[in-house]
Amino acid sequence: MGILEKIAEIEREISRTQKNKATEYHLGLLKAKLAKYRAQLLEPSKSSGAKGEGFDVMKSGDARVALIGFPSVGKSTFLSLMTSTESEAASYEFTTLTCIPGVIEYKGANIQLLDLPGIIEGAAQGKGRGRQVIAVARTADVVIMMLDATKGDVQRELLVKELESVGIRLNCPKPNIYFKPKKGGGLSYNSTVPLTHCSEKLVQLILHEYKIFNAEVLFREDSTPDEFIDVIVGNRVYMPCLYVYNKVDQISIEEVDRLAHRANSVVISCGMKLNLDFLLEQLWEYLALICLYTKKRGERPDFSDPIIMRRGASVEHVCHRIHRTLASQFKYALVWGTSTKYSPQRVGLTHIMEHEDVIQIVKK
C-alpha cells in the first residue's frame, strides 16, 4: 500500500468519525499519522531522475512575493501589468509552465514577484508540478493568492487546503507552545491556561506516534491537536497571504462589495486595470517594509537612494546594511522623523527606526 493510499484512507476515516469527547484521542492519533505520511510524501525520492528545467529562482530585491492560483485566473496578466517582464498570457490553461520572475518598483523598493504555474487539485501529491510550485512558495515573504471572482469561494478553500497539507499556514500566528525533546525523565506536561482541545493523555499519544517518549511540553495558549503536531514537526512556514479576486468586472456590484469586505482580501480587474494601486499599498503593509534615508554631515538628506528595511529594524541593523564594520566604529546617530521625540534626536544602536526616517551616523 503506497503513501497516497494510506493518506486517502486516513482522510476517509477522519471524515467518517464523529467529533465528540469519546473520539478525540482517536482523531488526534489519526491526525498525527496523517502529518507523518504527508511529511514522507514531501521528501525527495532517493533515485534522482533526469534533470528537468530549473524551477527555483535566485532571491533578489528587498522582498519576495509568490503568485499562486488555479490555471487561467490572470496571474501572468497581473505580472505583465505590474512589472516590465512579459509573461505569456493566453485564454487556455497552463500557459505558464515554469517560474517567471519580475520586479515591482514601489516606494524605492525592489519587490521580486514570481509568476508560478497554475496549481490543480492534488498538487500537494505532486500533480502538475505542484510540489515544485509549493516549494518555491515556501521561500516567499508574502503569498498573493489569485482567485477568479466569478467562481465564488471554491478556489480559495481548495488552495488553502492544498497549502495546509504541505505545511504552509496562511495568516495565522505560530502556536505559543514550548516543546523540547529530552534524553530521559519521561514527559513533563504543563499549561498556563485551561485547555479545552488537548489533554495530557492526548499529548502523550501524539508524541508516541512520533516515537518521542521524553520531552518537556508547555502550553501557553489553548491550542488544538493540529497546532501541537505542527510544533512537533517543526518545518511549518507561517506567512501572510493576500487573497486577490480578479475579473470583478464580470460580477454584480453586491458580490464585489461582499468579497471586498472579507478579511485579507482585495478585488481587482487586470483586464480593466481597476484597483491595482490599492493592491500595491496593501502588499507594502503585508511585507512590513520601511524606507530610510541617509544624511552626510552638513549636507541635505539623500532622498534618491533609500535603504529598505523591515519594520522593527534598529540603528544597528541600518549600520550592518550600510557596511559590516560600521557598527563597531559607531559613536552615536542623529535621527529625524516619527520615531523620535524631537528632531534631530541623538540615539544609540538599539533605537527602533520608522518609515521615512532620516539618519546621520557619527563614527568614533
Side-chain angles (χ1 to χ4, degrees):
M1 197 184 205
I3 294 176
L4 286 174
E5 287 85 19
K6 286 177 183 173
I7 287 174
E9 194 180 318
I10 292 171
E11 280 175 341
R12 280 198 299 274
E13 177 75 22
I14 289 174
S15 61
R16 278 202 306 266
T17 310
Q18 284 184 330
K19 288 180 178 66
N20 56 40
K21 200 76 182 156
T23 60
E24 65 178 16
Y25 297 123
H26 179 57
L27 279 170
L29 213 58
L30 286 175
K31 282 173 181 171
K33 278 184 178 165
L34 192 60
K36 211 163 126 189
Y37 286 135
R38 278 183 178 153
Q40 284 177 19
L41 196 65
L42 286 177
E43 283 169 13
S45 56
K46 296 283 185 287
S47 58
S48 60
K51 289 274 186 287
E53 191 185 341
F55 202 86
D56 201 1
V57 174
M58 197 173 124
K59 211 166 184 171
S60 71
D62 302 297
R64 188 178 222 189
V65 177
L67 269 177
I68 278 188
F70 281 99
S72 282
V73 290
K75 296 187 297 298
S76 299
T77 314
F78 178 73
L79 181 87
S80 304
L81 276 176
M82 299 306 243
T83 70
S84 54
T85 309
E86 283 298 317
S87 181
E88 193 187 339
S91 56
Y92 55 87
E93 298 192 341
F94 291 106
T95 320
T96 307
L97 294 172
T98 184
C99 178
I100 296 171
V103 176
I104 302 174
E105 289 174 5
Y106 185 66
K107 291 189 181 176
N110 289 334
I111 301 164
Q112 188 182 34
L113 185 67
L114 300 179
D115 177 21
L116 298 170
I119 284 186
I120 53 174
E121 208 178 334
Q125 278 84 44
K127 282 186 191 170
R129 295 199 89 172
R131 269 193 226 173
Q132 292 104 311
V133 172
I134 288 165
V136 173
R138 282 175 79 99
T139 65
D141 299 304
V142 169
V143 167
I144 288 184
M145 196 181 279
M146 272 299 220
L147 304 161
D148 192 335
T150 58
K151 301 270 174 69
D153 295 331
V154 185
Q155 291 190 342
R156 177 169 170 169
E157 285 158 16
L158 281 171
L159 278 173
V160 169
K161 192 178 157 201
E162 288 293 332
L163 293 178
E164 291 218 326
S165 67
V166 292
I168 296 176
R169 303 285 177 264
L170 302 174
N171 295 330
C172 64
K174 214 170 177 178
N176 197 353
I177 302 170
Y178 172 75
F179 169 73
K180 188 183 178 188
K182 297 188 297 187
K183 293 277 191 292
L187 176 67
S188 159
Y189 169 87
N190 235 319
S191 66
T192 56
V193 290
L195 299 181
T196 55
H197 305 291
C198 286
S199 64
E200 187 168 359
K201 187 182 169 190
L202 180 57
V203 166
Q204 207 165 3
L205 275 168
I206 292 170
L207 287 171
H208 282 195
E209 185 59 41
Y210 283 94
K211 297 189 169 48
I212 298 170
F213 303 99
N214 307 298
E216 264 182 73
V217 178
L218 172 63
F219 282 83
R220 297 197 186 98
E221 63 181 12
D222 186 14
S223 301
T224 61
D226 291 323
E227 289 173 332
F228 180 58
I229 291 166
D230 286 351
V231 171
I232 298 169
V233 176
N235 64 351
R236 303 296 189 235
V237 182
Y238 297 86
M239 58 169 65
C241 173
L242 205 52
Y243 302 104
V244 177
Y245 291 92
N246 189 18
K247 306 183 186 177
V248 290
D249 48 311
Q250 298 173 18
I251 56 173
S252 67
I253 196 75
E254 291 80 22
E255 182 69 4
V256 172
D257 195 48
R258 186 184 72 81
L259 293 174
H261 280 89
R262 297 190 66 175
N264 311 308
S265 300
V266 177
V267 290
I268 64 161
S269 168
C270 288
M272 297 179 75
K273 300 182 182 174
L274 299 174
N275 213 24
L276 296 174
D277 49 349
F278 178 68
L279 173 56
L280 276 179
E281 280 174 37
Q282 287 292 95
L283 186 59
W284 181 265
E285 282 301 310
Y286 274 66
L287 286 167
L289 296 175
I290 57 171
C291 285
L292 304 174
Y293 303 103
T294 53
K295 177 186 178 306
K296 287 181 182 172
R297 193 171 181 174
E299 291 181 25
R300 294 185 68 78
D302 179 14
F303 291 120
S304 61
D305 187 19
I307 297 175
I308 307 296
M309 304 290 291
R310 289 294 155 113
R311 202 180 293 148
S314 66
V315 174
E316 190 173 1
H317 292 125
V318 179
C319 290
H320 284 302
R321 173 61 72 89
I322 296 168
H323 197 273
R324 57 196 162 86
T325 60
L326 192 55
S328 56
Q329 301 168 352
F330 179 88
K331 189 176 180 185
Y332 65 89
L334 294 171
V335 176
W336 292 257
T338 53
S339 67
T340 58
K341 290 175 185 167
Y342 45 87
S343 293
Q345 184 176 331
R346 184 173 162 161
V347 297
L349 282 172
T350 53
H351 177 76
I352 303 297
M353 305 294 287
E354 284 182 14
H355 185 48
E356 294 188 333
D357 278 0
V358 174
I359 184 168
Q360 177 187 325
I361 293 169
V362 179
K363 295 201 285 188
K364 284 173 186 166

